[in-house]
Amino acid sequence: MSVDPTTLAAIIAMAVVTYLTRIAGLALPANMKMSPRVKSAFEAIPPAVLVAVIAPTALATGWRESLAAVVCILAATRLPLLGVVGVGVVTIVLLRLIG
């Protein structure tokens, strides 16, 4: 097996850039003075990304997944994250067994 030096250089460069962007996301906000509004916006990014990842799957795959998502949303108002995951898994398994 041979490795093309250009391909290897591209892989290494992409790895370095990926690492730098991830470290910058952690290091820059810690050193910045942010207004409460900007800080709130930064804190809202993770849940927004999570919803953006989950919503298409929950809404476009079928009624069982949509119903399980609704059950998870309701469970999230009362349970911690691990409990919500458990409720979601049990709900989707039961719904798939039913129909």
Side-chain angles (χ1 to χ4, degrees), residues 64 90-99:
R64 294 173 196 91
V90 169
T91 302
I92 195 66
V93 167
L94 290 176
L95 288 173
R96 287 181 180 172
L97 284 175
I98 290 171

Side-chain angles (χ1 to χ4, degrees):
M1 181 175 131
S2 65
V3 177
D4 181 30
T6 305
T7 302
L8 182 62
I11 290 171
I12 290 171
M14 289 186 287
V16 168
V17 170
T18 301
Y19 180 75
L20 290 176
T21 56
R22 292 183 182 206
I23 290 298
L26 296 174
L28 287 179
N31 296 327
M32 293 173 45
K33 293 263 184 188
M34 292 186 277
S35 68
R37 189 174 183 155
V38 172
K39 189 174 181 178
S40 295
F42 269 96
E43 290 173 355
I45 291 173
V49 170
L50 189 60
V51 169
V53 169
I54 293 173
T57 301
L59 299 176
T61 52
W63 67 271
R64 294 173 196 91
E65 289 77 11
S66 298
L67 185 58
V70 170
V71 170
C72 286
I73 290 169
L74 294 175
T77 62
R78 300 281 181 201
L79 298 175
L81 178 61
L82 190 57
V84 174
V85 171
V87 167
V89 169
V90 169
T91 302
I92 195 66
V93 167
L94 290 176
L95 288 173
R96 287 181 180 172
L97 284 175
I98 290 171

